[in-house]
Structure formats: C-alpha cells, structure tokens
Amino acid sequence: MAQKRFDEYFAKVVLEKCFPEKFFDLQILDKPDLRCGNEIGIEVTNSMPTRVAEAFNLWHRVAKQGEQTPPRILERLQQLDEVQLVDDELIWMQGMYSQEELEDFHDAVEKKVEKLNSEKANYAIMETYELFINSFIMIPAWLINVAIKRLQNINSKPKKFDNIYLITNEKKLLIFDISNNTLKVKYLYSYLDRMAEEAKVIYLGVKNE
C-alpha cells in the first residue's frame, strides 16, 4: 500500500484530541482514510488554490534536492510567489479573505462526495461517513450560512458525509453538522501547533520504519 500522507496523521491527532468521547485509536487505512471500528469512516483532504498547492510541492522538492534542484523549478517558484520561505518555515502570503477560498473549500467537498458515491471507488461499507479538510482558508461570519447551504446542495447524493470538519487559517476547527444544519466552532489556538508536531513525529516514525 502506498505511503499515507501527513494529512491523515494530522486529522487522526486532531479528531482524537478534540473529540475523545467519539474518536479513539483511529485506524489509518484507505477508502475511507480513517476508521473508527466499522461505525465511522472519515475521508481526509485539503483545500487550497491550485497555484498554492503547486508552490508547496515545489518547495518540498527544493528541500529534498538542494543544490541539485533543476533551474526550471526555481524559476517556477518565482512565478508562484504566494508561498515564501520565512525563517525556515513555508508561509502562504494569502492576505485578506477572497471568495475563491470558499469556492476551493466547496470544490474539495464536491470531489470527495463524487468519489464516495463512485462505484469504481470501492469504499468500505461504514455506518456513517465524515470528512476532514485541512486548509488555510478564512470564512467570515457573514458567509457561514451561504457555506452551509452550498454544502447541503453538494452533499445530497445517496452516500453523504454527516459531519464536515474544516481547519481554518485562524486555527479554528469548524464542524458542519449537515444533517442538523448547524455549525460548531472549536478554538484551537496554540494547541493546533502542538497537534501538528505530534502528528509529524508519528508520521516520520512510520515513514522511516
């Protein structure tokens, strides 16, 4: 089986820390990515503009290849100036909220809904399915109802995600309860950085086995 991505380990840590009464010892598998026994299956993805995702991927190539990085990669990074290396940390210079970010979020959900309902995808049969999205986006309060309504329209196929979890730029975890048309917010603040570090340790440990 292909090496699982960091996102799955990050989602596992966040969900287990934030909802210990619901999630414990989540198993990292595939289709769906995380499983809580045979009851809950959780798909994991991320949401960011295509150019930003490309920039992050290229920066990781630079970190791996060092001086052997092809010039065309460095030239492309100059064009993709949304992501910059600041004090050895990759920063997305996104500025203020844009409508495109909300569309990226909805697109990420729509792709997962389509995949969940695809006969070719061959998902394991679970009692319920949920979706975890790691992102750097911001959703202003005045657009929350718009986001919920759009999610309900997207998430209306035979197989649905009962809850959609979204990590935002402000280090908040938004929980969209689609069935009950409600939204809950968990403010993670510095705890999110700690959870990311814990996930990184687990991920690197598994990767180096």
Side-chain angles (χ1 to χ4, degrees):
M1 185 172 64
Q3 177 67 47
K4 298 300 288 182
R5 299 174 301 143
F6 168 78
D7 282 343
E8 277 85 2
Y9 293 88
F10 179 59
K12 169 182 165 67
V13 172
V14 171
L15 292 175
E16 289 178 346
K17 295 289 187 183
C18 291
F19 309 98
E21 71 290 347
K22 180 177 181 180
F23 299 115
F24 51 91
D25 192 27
L26 286 170
Q27 299 300 303
I28 298 180
L29 297 167
D30 194 22
K31 296 182 181 180
D33 298 312
L34 302 179
R35 300 186 197 181
C36 187
N38 293 320
E39 298 177 0
I40 306 174
I42 305 158
E43 270 295 277
V44 179
T45 189
N46 56 60
S47 170
M48 63 177 61
T50 303
R51 285 173 57 88
V52 176
E54 180 186 358
F56 273 105
N57 288 333
L58 293 180
W59 270 115
H60 288 309
R61 284 189 60 181
V62 170
K64 183 177 181 180
Q65 297 178 325
E67 296 181 356
Q68 304 301 318
T69 303
R72 60 182 176 80
I73 299 298
L74 301 177
E75 292 173 4
R76 180 58 177 160
L77 277 174
Q78 289 183 344
Q79 298 173 354
L80 302 171
D81 60 354
E82 293 94 339
V83 177
Q84 298 179 13
L85 187 63
V86 180
D87 295 330
D88 294 326
E89 183 177 0
L90 290 176
I91 303 295
W92 176 12
M93 314 300 287
Q94 64 186 124
M96 299 299 292
Y97 162 81
S98 71
Q99 184 71 27
E100 181 184 0
E101 294 174 12
L102 187 57
E103 293 173 358
D104 291 330
F105 167 48
H106 289 148
D107 286 345
V109 174
E110 188 166 17
K111 289 177 181 177
K112 282 298 183 179
V113 170
E114 292 292 336
K115 187 176 180 181
L116 179 65
N117 285 273
S118 170
E119 294 181 0
K120 297 180 180 179
N122 195 28
Y123 273 83
I125 298 176
M126 312 293 292
E127 290 185 19
T128 61
Y129 297 93
E130 302 191 348
L131 178 61
F132 182 97
I133 301 178
N134 185 22
S135 82
F136 296 95
I137 72 174
M138 294 180 283
I139 302 181
W142 61 273
L143 269 179
I144 288 296
N145 288 335
V146 174
I148 293 176
K149 184 175 181 179
R150 179 74 176 117
L151 289 176
Q152 289 177 325
N153 291 334
I154 293 172
N155 196 33
S156 59
K157 293 184 178 293
K159 292 182 180 178
K160 302 176 177 63
F161 293 113
D162 287 1
N163 291 291
I164 297 175
Y165 306 89
L166 176 68
I167 296 288
T168 73
N169 177 274
E170 307 100 323
K171 296 186 178 181
K172 293 189 296 187
L173 177 63
L174 305 185
I175 305 101
F176 295 91
D177 183 337
I178 306 301
S179 301
N180 297 309
N181 192 28
T182 60
L183 171 71
K184 294 181 181 179
V185 181
K186 280 187 174 290
Y187 297 88
L188 304 180
Y189 303 119
S190 62
Y191 292 109
L192 185 62
D193 294 329
R194 298 177 197 173
M195 287 186 277
E197 284 300 317
E198 181 176 339
K200 183 177 179 181
V201 170
I202 298 172
Y203 171 69
L204 292 176
V206 172
K207 189 175 181 180
N208 294 327
E209 287 181 351

